[in-house]
Amino acid sequence: NAGVMQNPRHLVRRRGQEARLRCSPMKGHSHVYWYRQLPEEGLKFMVYLQKENIIDESGMPKERFSAEFPKEGPSILRIQQVVRGDSAAYFCASSPDIRTGELFFGEGSRLTVL
Amino acid sequence: QKEVEQDPGPLSVPEGAIVSLNCTYSNSAFQYFMWYRQYSRKGPELLMYTYSSGNKEDGRFTAQVDKSSKYISLFIRDSQPSDSATYLCAMSAGATNKLIFGTGTLLAVQP
């Protein structure tokens, strides 16, 4: 059973460009979460999605960031007009059931903004 | 005040030692408590999961939750160099599995 798959693993963008990060959850998991990890900091919640719905986006910056989890295909975290402060590791996690409290994480996508 | 406090370390111990890692929290609504292990440049790996108060043991790992003190612990017995990693505590109130993480404790087990 494949784990949570994220791509790309590494992404370099110049200021002002767009970054798209993709996440395929574990088979049978319909709950997807995005977290951001800055150097020397813990993981910070960004957004929680189910198929075609955003359930909780309380951790998402109000501008430039968006997320989706379409009926078909992976979840996508999109960052428009990237700035140097967006450089971080972005982790996706999935869960089979929101009542269990268990999240399974991917290997992360590391974004570097030049 | 952060919702979850965790000493960042680093913590260095000799091989075979018992390691104690701890977190405190302020939100009394938390009822799911987890410990994740994260190797450098890798994703967090779920180690231990506990619901509400009590102890849970899995091999060399024991997780303890004391909700009255808002304090959780992870004990590692007979520590090995392969245990060298960052250990993250995480917790949620359970409504949506939105986890709140500590900043992580960097552990180094010296051979």
Side-chain angles (χ1 to χ4, degrees):
Chain A
N1 187 14
V4 176
M5 304 300 292
Q6 291 189 248
N7 69 82
R9 293 293 310 280
H10 301 276
L11 183 63
V12 179
R13 286 287 178 266
R14 296 191 181 279
R15 280 178 297 170
Q17 292 184 319
E18 179 179 290
R20 282 186 180 230
L21 311 177
R22 295 174 186 76
C23 168
S24 295
M26 290 179 70
K27 187 177 181 180
H29 290 195
S30 59
H31 306 272
V32 166
Y33 304 77
W34 285 93
Y35 283 77
R36 177 165 62 176
Q37 188 173 40
L38 293 167
E40 308 303 323
E41 292 189 20
L43 287 146
K44 303 293 185 187
F45 169 81
M46 298 182 75
V47 62
Y48 160 45
L49 311 101
Q50 291 183 38
K51 282 289 187 181
E52 301 184 271
N53 291 301
I54 296 174
I55 307 302
D56 182 347
E57 57 181 346
S58 57
M60 287 277 271
K62 294 290 184 279
E63 299 177 350
R64 303 187 297 109
F65 285 72
S66 62
E68 62 178 17
F69 189 16
K71 186 176 180 180
E72 301 291 337
S75 175
I76 295 175
L77 180 67
R78 181 184 180 199
I79 311 172
Q80 295 178 289
Q81 299 175 321
V82 295
V83 301
R84 288 212 172 113
D86 296 333
S87 296
Y90 292 84
F91 290 95
C92 171
S94 71
S95 176
D97 186 337
I98 62 170
R99 293 169 296 177
T100 66
E102 295 175 285
L103 295 191
F104 299 89
F105 282 82
E107 293 290 88
S109 293
R110 282 163 178 81
L111 172 65
T112 301
V113 180
L114 302 178
Chain B
Q1 182 189 8
K2 291 181 180 179
E3 275 192 289
V4 179
E5 299 275 3
Q6 184 175 10
D7 186 337
L11 180 63
S12 182
V13 301
E15 184 175 353
I18 297 175
V19 175
S20 172
L21 304 166
N22 312 290
C23 287
T24 58
Y25 63 94
S26 57
N27 188 346
S28 57
F30 289 148
Q31 50 183 337
Y32 295 94
F33 303 91
M34 281 136 280
W35 286 94
Y36 284 84
R37 177 174 62 194
Q38 186 176 24
Y39 292 112
S40 180
R41 314 291 287 177
K42 297 290 188 181
E45 170 194 8
L46 181 62
L47 265 183
M48 299 290 285
Y49 163 80
T50 309
Y51 170 69
S52 194
S53 285
N55 295 357
K56 185 173 184 178
E57 187 174 322
D58 184 1
R60 295 184 296 111
F61 299 90
T62 300
Q64 291 184 350
V65 175
D66 182 350
K67 291 188 71 178
S68 62
S69 302
K70 297 191 178 66
Y71 187 88
I72 71 170
S73 302
L74 177 70
F75 297 95
I76 308 174
R77 290 183 299 281
D78 188 25
S79 56
Q80 303 295 310
S82 58
D83 295 328
S84 298
T86 296
Y87 289 79
L88 300 154
C89 65
M91 45 201 79
S92 82
T96 61
N97 277 357
K98 174 182 170 180
L99 294 185
I100 308 300
F101 281 84
T103 51
T105 299
L106 179 60
L107 171 68
V109 180
Q110 307 298 333

